């Protein structure tokens, strides 16, 4: 009896699990499986769930086009990360140390920037970047993306630094250490986990940006992965096999990053969103 | 010209046409000059070298004049005959005119508004090109904003007399010629011979009812029947709708006329009936021709610019072309003109004059240009020569003889793009069944009315 | 190793600079005051770049955006670099356009439906994952894959899924016998909106699931045990202990969901581009379409500004809820 009940319970759980997770994960499998099938001929049927005739032809079409975009995205995302660190982390230290109304107001302002839809400023950014000659350039995209990412870096690192015990700084002050030193030798080394976490998030932010890539490219200039994939899929409308391959290639870098940086990402999710 | 024609967006389809590309290079007289100094991309490294050579070679009062040219054909490559042709011609021109250095800017190739915003931002910062290529419906806006030089104020253009008068009218604004149309094009119906035979269709349809019946016969299983573009946008739905409506007696200035409603009801009926796929409402001109190339569509409304690619890249596909069917037998097909036009932006007297001379040289080379960009020459006398004497061109040429400019009858031609969009939105609304064709076109009429004043 | 030593070296050098800096005022001021002065100066110097940056790339564009929304900014304005002032004309024109009304309605429906579905499914997943079982750790990892990938990729994948021929959605529905003729997901307005919602829910579930999972782990087991001892059923334990304990987390997940869903742009552009017949426009995509393909920069920014007001209102609620001491945001 109990045995039967147990079997029933386990299979019930399994069924619930399947209902919950299959719709989430199966599309990923379907895309990868389809990317290895020849779908562009007149005789091709719908993608098969288990590919019988595996081909790499789709990848030879997609790779040459997408790889360049991946390179562009890598440069942009790395620069966005670096710039966000450079500006955001010292500011986070300052705010953590200053405290008071000034600090609260600045944090509030930074928080508000996170609410602004990117599309709401893109027309203005377009006209401004045109004046400054930044349209269709790496620098323009990096600056625009950083404006979305840097405040986030600042907010999270500040929250972490606020939680550092004040005695550490007092001890440093007794040593005669200046504020620059308090930053470089006390708060920065201790905040490394938070800094890495925001680095990952700002990297992802720069990597996934589409609004700026679409509106600030001026028709020429560097094409990040998002824009490249968008154009690829609108160009290869009937060669769906190649689009499957391109989508798969485009999903690989962030997946690698996810598995490499899992512990920081999870920490960031908790620190970033749950410190209420 | 319909936006889709942009060769770079079709690079894939031209992959197999290396041979024809090479032939085109020879035709435009430039094989030897390829790789000299003038490629759009290689300007930075190439230009100074060329300048030095020239300065030494000839005495140029005031030095070598640098002329910039802008088009949207993209970077030269073995799959891009249009850009190769441009590069070769300008390279050759710079060689034979020692005091002029033509720098081609062709990197902005996007089919959406990016080319226009790019050009406009150049104007606003005073960095506009000296010679500018535009899609023909865009020209009046530039002329109306006083951004271009009336060509005949710069000198005589004998070629104008030879160009089809309707094409000249298309580039005339307020009585002044603002650009030269070198090539033109239009749309007709491509058909798949195998699919027609398979479905027992022996004679090509001439009227709407014949066409509807035939399209229906060919739409079953994964075969799509008739494919066209039903998405609003420059050179999309409205441009594809025009020949059906115009041939039936409608005009752009009265979107809600009974003749126009009949035409839209016809196309909507094809979709409702399953003779055309529902997806047409989401399609630009790219998808239909790709479906046709893949052998999935029996009929495809599309432009003559596809001919070189279809010939070279799809040797197994057996296809032909016929004129757009008319509601009643014997109605004349009136089709819209596509094609690019070349203008001289306002800059300085010296540059304007030099750009005009360059344009004049181009106009003496219409044959090669039309080939490079996969159009037909605007000089009808050239149509007797190859490749335009091929049978697949004849339905297009017949239509072009009665062709109409999309700005025709519009008091303020600069409003044409806005009118095009309003009508395009009506077409979309009717195709998805949001509104009846009559109601949709009535809504368009009320939006269009103030633009026609 | 090298990294640490470099860091230390840098630290020492920087400290040295600071000391030299601070040495000067010390001559004129009492030492403590001087150091405080120096400290303030350094902190302000740390802070200023971030403020300048936000001023230059967020505040100034916002200001310009508002200005443009009061201008007739079209073809001629682009060529001239500025447009004539037209007062509220853009806003009036925008609100007279049926598509704007449809876009606002779509945005509201899209946001509420997405957030609700993401939350419910995400919570169910979180509860499911809150037990240790073979593969649970791996599952927690792999479900984040949809979340980290660019939304353009998500949109591309779902445009293949919702394709009327050979798309996964129709194949599955046909396979289980629910439909006999392929459904045109992207060729009817209402189904196109549904497709966008489904896509966005798929992309947003992992974020909800992981945050709520973290919240679940913070519920003290003793309390659940105590309730259990008192004879509460699992469902009662969930509604009377778990949910109340998780209230702050739940509020934040929901508010962040709303704020980030309002912004969604990539999915709709890639999947439907607002079509067919503008029936699936969201405010974000409609603003883009007006400004960047219809050349109505003035009305485009007007639409964008209405969206901005929506977002900021939700943002205010979020900030109030998290009592101003929140650090938060997460992607989307």
């Amino acid at each position: 009896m109990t045995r039967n009940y147990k079997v029933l319970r386990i299979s019930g759980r399994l069924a619930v699990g399947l209902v919950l997770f299959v719709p989430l994960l199966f599309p990923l499998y379907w895309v990868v499986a389809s990317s290895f099938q020849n779908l562009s001929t007149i005789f091709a049927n719908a993608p098969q769930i288990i590919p019988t005739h595996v081909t790499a032809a789709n990848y030879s079409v997609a790779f040459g086009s997408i790889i360049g975009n991946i390179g562009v995205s890598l440069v942009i995302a790395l620069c966005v990360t670096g710039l966000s660190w450079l500006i955001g982390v010292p500011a986070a230290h300052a705010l953590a140390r200053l405290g008071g109304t000034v600090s609260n107001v600045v944090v509030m302002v930074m928080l508000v920037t996170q609410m602004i839809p990117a599309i709401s400023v893109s027309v203005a950014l377009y006209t401004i970047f045109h004046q400054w000659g930044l349209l269709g350039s790496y620098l323009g995209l990096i600056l625009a993306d950083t404006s979305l990412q840097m405040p986030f870096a600042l907010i999270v690192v500040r929250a972490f630094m606020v939680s550092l015990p004040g005695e550490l700084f007092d001890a440093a002050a007794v040593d005669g250490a200046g504020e620059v030193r308090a930053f470089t030798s006390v708060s920065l080394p201790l905040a490394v986990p938070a800094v890495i976490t925001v680095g990952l998030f700002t990297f992802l932010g720069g990597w996934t940006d589409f609004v700026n890539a679409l509106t600030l490219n001026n028709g020429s200039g560097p094409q990040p992965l998002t824009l490249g994939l968008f154009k690829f899929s609108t160009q290869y409308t009937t060669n769906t096999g190649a689009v499957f391959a391109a989508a798969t290639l485009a999903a690989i870098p962030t997946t690698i990053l996810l598995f490499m940086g899992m512990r920081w990402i999870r920490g960031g999710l908790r620190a970033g969103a749950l410190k209420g | 010209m319909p936006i889709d024609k942009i060769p770079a967006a079709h690079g894939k389809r031209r992959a197999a046409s290396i041979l024809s590309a090479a032939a085109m290079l020879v035709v435009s007289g430039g094989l030897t000059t390829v790789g000299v100094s003038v490629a759009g991309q290689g300007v930075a490294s190439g230009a100074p070298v060329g300048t030095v050579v020239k300065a030494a070679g000839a005495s140029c009062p005031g030095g070598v004049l640098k002329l910039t040219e802008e088009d949207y054909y993209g970077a030269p490559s073995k799959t891009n005959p249009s850009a190769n042709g441009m590069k070769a011609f300008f390279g050759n021109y710079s060689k034979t005119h020692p005091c002029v250095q033509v720098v081609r800017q062709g990197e902005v190739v996007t089919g959406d508004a990016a080319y226009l915003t790019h050009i406009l931002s150049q104007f606003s910062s005073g960095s506009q090109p000296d010679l500018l290529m535009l899609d023909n419906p865009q020209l009046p806006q530039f002329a109306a904003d006083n951004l271009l030089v009336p060509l005949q104020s710069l000198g005589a253009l004998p070629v104008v007399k030879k160009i089809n008068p309707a094409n000249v009218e298309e580039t005339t604004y307020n009585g002044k010629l603002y650009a030269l149309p070198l090539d033109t094009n239009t749309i007709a119906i491509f058909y798949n011979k195998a699919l027609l035979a398979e479905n027992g269709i022996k004679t090509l349809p001439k009227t709407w009812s014949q066409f509807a019946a035939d399209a229906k016969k060919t739409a079953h299983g994964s075969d799509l029947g008739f494919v066209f573009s039903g998405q609003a946008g420059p050179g999309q739905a409205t441009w594809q709708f025009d020949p059906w409506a115009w041939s039936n007696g409608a005009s752009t200035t009265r979107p809600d006329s009974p003749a126009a409603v009949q035409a839209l009801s016809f196309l909507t009926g094809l979709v409702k009936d399953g003779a055309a796929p529902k997806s047409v409402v989401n399609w630009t001109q790219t998808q239909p021709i790709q479906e046709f190339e893949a052998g999935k569509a029996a009929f495809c409304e599309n432009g003559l610019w596809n001919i070189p690619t279809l010939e070279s890249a799809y040797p197994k596909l057996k296809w032909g072309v016929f004129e757009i069917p008319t509601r009643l037998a014997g109605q004349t097909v009136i089709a819209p003109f596509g094609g690019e036009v070349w203008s001289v932006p306002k800059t300085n007297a010296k540059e304007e004059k030099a750009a005009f001379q360059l344009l004049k040289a181009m106009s003496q080379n219409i044959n090669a240009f039309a080939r490079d960009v996969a159009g037909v020459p605007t000089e009808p006398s050239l149509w007797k020569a190859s490749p335009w004497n091929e049978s697949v061109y004849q339905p297009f040429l017949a239509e072009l003889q009665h062709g109409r400019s999309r700005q025709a009858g519009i008091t303020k031609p600069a409003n044409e793009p806005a009118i095009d969009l309003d009508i395009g939105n009506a077409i979309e609304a009717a195709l998805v069944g949001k509104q009846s064709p009559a109601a949709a076109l009535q809504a368009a009429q009320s939006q269009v009315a103030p633009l026609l004043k | 190793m090298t990294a640490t030593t470099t860091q230390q070296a840098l630290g020492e050098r920087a400290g040295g600079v600071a000391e030299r800096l601070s040495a000067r005022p010390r001559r004129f001021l009492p030492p403590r005051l001087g150091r405080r002065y120096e400290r303030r100066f350094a902190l302000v110097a740390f802070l200023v770049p971030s403020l300048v940056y936000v001023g230059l790339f967020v505040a100034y564009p916002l200001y310009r955006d508002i200005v443009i929304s009061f201008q007739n900014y079209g073809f001629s304005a682009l060529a001239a670099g500025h447009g004539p002032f037209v007062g509220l004309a853009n806003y009036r024109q925008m609100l007279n356009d049926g598509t704007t009304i449809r876009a606002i309605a779509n945005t509201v429906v899209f946001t509420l439906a997405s957030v609700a579905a993401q939350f419910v499914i995400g919570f169910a997943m979180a509860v499911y994952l809150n037990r240790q079982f073979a593969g649970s750790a791996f599952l927690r990892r792999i479900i984040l894959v949809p979340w980290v990938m660019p939304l353009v990729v998500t949109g591309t994948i779902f445009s293949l899924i919702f394709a009327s021929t050979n798309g996964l959605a129709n194949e599955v529905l046909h396979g289980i016998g629910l439909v006999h003729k392929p459904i045109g997901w992207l060729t009817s307005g209402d189904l196109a909106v549904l497709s966008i919602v489904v896509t966005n829910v798929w992309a947003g579930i992992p974020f909800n699931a992981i945050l709520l999972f973290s919240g679940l782990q913070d519920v003290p087991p003793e309390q659940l045990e105590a309730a259990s001892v008192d004879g509460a059923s699992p469902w009662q334990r969930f509604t009377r202990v778990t949910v109340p304990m998780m209230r702050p987390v739940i509020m934040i997940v929901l508010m962040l969901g709303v704020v980030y869903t309002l912004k969604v742009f990539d999915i709709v552009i890639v999947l439907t581009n607002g079509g067919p017949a503008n029936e699936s426009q969201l405010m974000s995509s409609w603003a883009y379409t007006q400004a960047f393909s219809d050349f109505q920069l003035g009305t485009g920014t007007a639409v964008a500004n209405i969206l901005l007001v929506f977002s900021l209102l939700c943002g205010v609620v979020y900030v109030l809820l998290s009592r101003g001491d929140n650090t938060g945001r997460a992607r989307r």
Side-chain angles (χ1 to χ4, degrees):
Chain A
M1 273 303 140
T2 34
R3 214 189 122 110
N4 273 350
Y5 176 70
K6 206 174 164 190
V7 168
L8 205 68
R9 225 174 68 160
I10 288 177
S11 47
R13 270 195 190 155
L14 197 66
V16 172
L18 289 176
V19 167
L20 278 178
F21 292 97
V22 166
L24 188 73
L25 298 176
F26 186 73
L28 294 176
Y29 167 78
W30 180 73
V31 170
V32 177
S34 304
S35 71
F36 288 103
Q37 299 176 44
N38 184 357
L39 304 169
S40 58
T41 66
I42 308 168
F43 311 102
N45 291 312
Q48 291 167 304
I49 300 301
I50 297 153
T52 41
H53 301 286
V54 172
T55 169
N58 298 327
Y59 283 92
S60 69
V61 179
F63 189 78
S65 170
I66 292 294
I67 193 72
N69 303 128
I70 289 181
V72 171
S73 283
L74 192 65
V75 170
I76 289 173
L78 284 174
C79 292
V80 168
T81 307
L83 197 55
S84 299
W85 272 340
L86 196 68
I87 298 173
V89 176
H93 169 85
L95 289 173
R97 298 277 282 148
L98 281 170
T101 321
V102 176
S103 170
N104 284 342
V105 169
V106 173
V107 171
M108 196 67 79
V109 167
M110 296 294 168
L111 209 52
V112 167
T113 66
Q114 300 295 291
M115 314 288 171
I116 299 170
I119 194 71
S120 287
V121 288
S122 56
V123 170
L125 267 186
Y126 180 89
T127 59
I128 294 168
F129 276 21
H130 166 244
Q131 277 175 353
W132 295 350
L134 289 175
L135 288 178
S137 69
Y138 278 97
L139 183 61
L141 281 179
I142 291 163
L143 289 173
D145 288 357
T146 303
S147 73
L148 304 171
Q149 304 307 324
M150 185 277 289
F152 166 70
L154 185 156
I155 292 165
V156 172
V157 175
R158 185 206 75 107
F160 190 91
M161 286 176 169
V162 162
S163 69
L164 295 176
E167 302 88 62
L168 286 172
F169 294 99
D170 294 346
V174 170
D175 288 350
E179 198 55 44
V180 175
R181 180 115 181 239
F183 171 61
T184 53
S185 53
V186 180
S187 59
L188 185 59
L190 290 171
V192 161
V195 170
I196 292 179
T197 298
V198 298
L200 270 170
F201 276 72
T202 51
F203 183 91
L204 275 176
W207 185 273
T208 55
D209 161 71
F210 180 57
V211 177
N212 291 332
L214 188 65
T215 57
L216 302 177
N217 75 62
N218 203 24
S220 58
Q223 293 198 355
L225 179 63
T226 48
L227 187 61
L229 179 66
F230 178 58
K231 290 197 166 171
F232 187 89
S233 61
T234 42
Q235 187 187 335
Y236 289 78
T237 49
T238 46
N239 192 352
T240 40
V243 178
F244 277 113
T248 307
L249 286 174
I252 288 174
T254 48
T255 308
I256 293 174
L257 193 73
L258 171 71
F259 279 82
M260 276 172 26
M262 180 60 85
R263 83 179 240 249
W264 307 107
I265 287 178
R266 193 151 303 136
L269 273 170
R270 281 175 74 83
L274 293 186
K275 263 203 167 129
Chain B
M1 165 192 101
I3 244 71
D4 284 44
K5 207 191 123 184
I6 296 157
H10 289 224
K12 172 193 68 133
R13 287 200 264 120
R14 303 207 169 179
S17 59
I18 304 165
L19 254 182
S20 65
M24 285 169 191
L25 281 178
V26 178
V27 168
S28 27
L31 245 189
T32 48
T33 60
V34 173
V36 178
S37 58
V38 192
Q41 244 60 352
V43 169
S45 59
V49 178
T51 317
V52 171
V53 169
K54 282 174 179 188
S59 60
C60 295
V64 174
L65 184 64
K66 202 176 107 180
L67 280 185
T68 52
E69 179 275 346
E70 182 112 23
D71 60 64
Y72 47 60
Y73 289 129
S77 76
K78 62 181 179 183
T79 58
N80 190 347
S82 311
N84 295 340
M86 298 288 151
K87 174 180 162 173
F89 181 84
F90 295 130
N92 202 29
Y93 188 87
S94 302
K95 237 183 168 184
T96 52
H97 297 73
C99 294
V100 175
Q101 176 80 34
V102 186
V103 177
R104 176 173 174 259
Q105 297 169 336
E107 68 271 24
V108 178
V109 293
T110 39
D112 52 33
Y115 183 71
L116 217 48
T117 40
H118 170 67
I119 300 292
L120 290 174
S121 56
Q122 287 180 332
F123 273 103
S124 76
S125 58
S127 56
Q128 63 270 38
D130 300 305
L131 186 65
L132 172 64
M133 185 184 88
L134 290 170
D135 190 7
N136 74 67
Q138 294 164 352
L139 180 77
Q141 291 177 291
F142 282 86
D145 272 27
N146 216 8
L147 301 172
L148 307 174
V149 188
L151 291 180
Q152 274 144 342
S153 72
L154 293 167
L157 274 172
V159 73
V160 170
K161 279 197 204 91
K162 294 192 262 177
I163 292 176
N164 184 354
N167 286 117
V168 175
E169 196 195 309
E170 171 187 51
T171 50
T172 304
Y173 181 79
N174 277 350
K176 287 176 188 151
L177 186 73
Y178 277 93
L180 265 191
L182 297 178
D183 72 292
T184 187
N185 61 53
T186 194
I187 42 180
I189 310 281
F190 290 84
Y191 67 96
N192 181 319
K193 288 182 176 170
L195 287 179
L196 260 60
E198 226 172 76
N199 293 287
I201 299 166
K202 297 202 174 71
T203 49
L204 293 174
K206 287 208 155 56
T207 62
W208 289 1
S209 55
Q210 291 166 354
F211 183 65
D214 290 347
K216 176 81 182 156
K217 276 184 216 161
T218 58
H220 48 73
S222 62
D223 288 350
L224 299 171
F226 171 49
V227 292
F228 63 100
S229 162
Q231 188 184 67
Q236 312 298 347
T238 307
W239 144 270
Q240 291 231 324
F241 169 68
D242 284 343
W244 303 91
W246 292 355
S247 309
N248 194 34
S251 101
T252 304
T253 53
R254 272 307 300 271
D256 67 342
S257 69
V261 173
Q262 277 174 339
L264 187 54
S265 305
F266 174 68
L267 290 178
T268 310
L270 291 179
V271 173
K272 256 193 205 144
D273 199 29
K278 283 202 172 76
S279 316
V280 292
V281 68
N282 292 331
W283 283 353
T284 63
Q285 291 195 110
T286 313
Q287 288 93 330
I289 197 67
Q290 291 191 357
E291 298 291 354
F292 184 77
E293 288 163 352
K296 288 180 179 167
F299 301 103
C300 172
E301 182 180 357
N302 227 299
L304 59 85
W305 57 86
N306 293 296
I307 292 175
T309 312
L310 282 169
E311 283 176 340
S312 58
Y314 297 90
K316 281 190 199 148
L317 195 71
K318 299 296 171 223
W319 54 275
V321 181
F322 59 88
E323 286 186 57
I324 304 275
T326 51
R327 187 171 64 87
L328 306 167
Q331 283 176 313
T332 307
V333 180
I334 300 173
F337 287 131
E340 290 71 28
V341 299
W342 297 82
S343 62
V344 176
K346 284 193 171 162
T347 49
N348 301 306
K350 202 175 157 196
E351 275 85 0
E352 288 168 6
K353 273 203 186 102
F356 178 76
Q357 290 307 323
L358 174 61
L359 182 52
K360 216 168 158 179
M362 288 166 71
S363 75
Q364 283 148 12
N365 199 29
I366 282 189
N367 215 19
F369 263 102
R371 251 183 211 247
D372 288 342
V373 302
V376 298
T378 42
E379 273 182 57
S381 62
L382 298 170
W383 295 353
K384 292 182 195 86
S386 172
W388 299 294
N389 58 6
E390 286 173 21
S391 66
V392 287
Y393 279 98
Q394 301 321 307
F396 291 107
L397 297 178
E399 287 183 4
L400 281 174
Q401 269 164 357
H402 307 284
R404 188 188 284 173
S405 151
R406 278 173 278 175
Q407 293 98 279
I410 301 175
T411 332
K412 282 187 195 149
N415 286 336
E416 194 277 338
I419 295 170
D420 183 295
L421 183 65
D422 289 334
I423 297 176
N425 284 332
I427 295 168
E428 279 193 7
L431 285 175
V432 296
K434 186 176 158 188
Q435 282 175 308
S436 72
L441 286 173
Q442 234 155 43
Q445 174 73 38
S446 63
Q447 286 165 320
V448 164
L451 297 169
L452 290 170
K453 277 177 199 154
Chain C
M1 267 302 231
T2 355
T4 351
T5 41
T6 321
Q7 207 171 35
Q8 276 168 359
L10 278 174
E12 271 156 32
R13 217 171 61 203
V17 171
E19 269 172 66
R20 257 177 284 136
L21 271 176
S22 65
R24 245 184 273 160
R26 229 176 265 163
R27 251 183 252 158
F28 308 100
L29 298 163
R32 285 183 62 169
L33 192 62
R35 193 172 304 156
R36 219 170 82 191
Y37 192 74
E38 175 261 24
R39 186 181 156 236
R40 288 260 148 177
F41 178 79
L43 288 177
V44 169
F46 276 5
L47 187 57
V48 164
S50 71
L51 295 175
V52 170
Y53 200 95
V54 167
L56 222 49
F57 295 104
V58 181
Y60 178 52
L62 274 180
Y63 159 76
R64 278 284 284 263
D65 214 61
I66 291 163
V67 171
I68 291 174
S69 75
F70 293 108
Q71 291 178 338
N72 178 5
Y73 215 98
F75 185 97
S76 306
L78 274 169
H82 52 84
F85 178 80
V86 290
L88 286 169
N90 291 326
Y91 288 90
R92 231 176 282 131
Q93 194 189 329
M94 165 194 85
L95 290 172
N96 280 333
D97 190 335
T99 304
T100 309
I101 307 302
R102 172 94 201 200
I104 292 175
N106 280 346
T107 306
V108 171
V109 170
F110 170 79
T111 305
L112 295 180
S114 294
V115 171
Q118 281 168 8
F119 177 78
V120 171
I121 301 171
F123 213 152
M125 277 187 186
V127 171
Y128 195 85
L129 290 170
N130 199 26
R131 290 171 298 114
Q132 294 293 322
F133 56 91
S136 62
F138 177 72
L139 208 52
R140 283 205 305 273
R141 259 171 200 235
I142 194 110
I143 61 165
L144 283 176
V145 170
W147 174 68
V148 286
M149 83 196 178
L151 284 172
V152 172
V153 178
T154 315
T156 307
I157 291 176
F158 275 79
S159 67
L160 296 163
I161 287 178
F162 287 120
S164 51
T165 47
N166 298 347
L168 182 62
N170 278 341
E171 294 284 313
V172 167
L173 291 177
H174 189 256
I176 57 178
L178 269 179
V179 297
H180 301 290
K181 260 175 44 181
I183 295 176
W185 293 100
L186 305 176
T187 54
S188 128
D190 293 337
L191 288 178
V193 174
L194 178 66
S195 306
I196 300 171
V197 170
V198 169
T199 307
N200 191 54
V201 167
W202 187 83
I205 286 173
F207 172 65
N208 282 258
I210 293 300
L211 281 195
L212 292 166
F213 171 78
S214 301
L216 277 176
Q217 299 230 302
D218 292 343
V219 175
E222 309 85 57
Q223 299 224 4
L224 290 169
E225 263 164 47
S228 189
V229 169
D230 291 347
S233 71
W235 178 249
Q236 283 172 326
R237 264 179 289 162
F238 180 71
T239 52
R240 295 192 191 159
V241 181
T242 309
V243 171
M245 293 288 302
M246 284 180 67
R247 229 182 95 93
V249 183
I250 290 172
M251 293 312 290
I252 284 164
V253 167
L254 288 177
M255 283 315 298
L256 275 179
V258 171
V259 169
Y260 291 107
T261 308
L262 275 174
K263 290 196 207 185
V264 167
F265 170 79
D266 316 17
I267 287 178
V268 61
I269 290 293
V270 175
L271 200 56
T272 69
N273 202 9
N278 285 327
E279 297 251 273
S280 69
Q281 293 284 10
L282 300 183
M283 288 166 82
S284 59
S285 60
W286 181 229
Y288 169 79
T289 305
Q290 294 250 292
F292 288 95
S293 55
D294 299 350
F295 276 101
Q296 304 286 336
L297 278 75
T299 41
T301 48
V303 175
N305 287 344
I306 302 295
L307 175 63
L308 180 68
V309 170
F310 272 44
S311 300
L312 290 181
L313 282 178
C314 295
V316 168
V317 176
Y318 169 68
V319 170
L320 288 179
L321 279 176
S322 51
R323 281 163 277 121
D325 188 38
N326 199 278
T327 52
R329 105 121 188 208
R331 296 175 53 240
R332 281 164 212 156

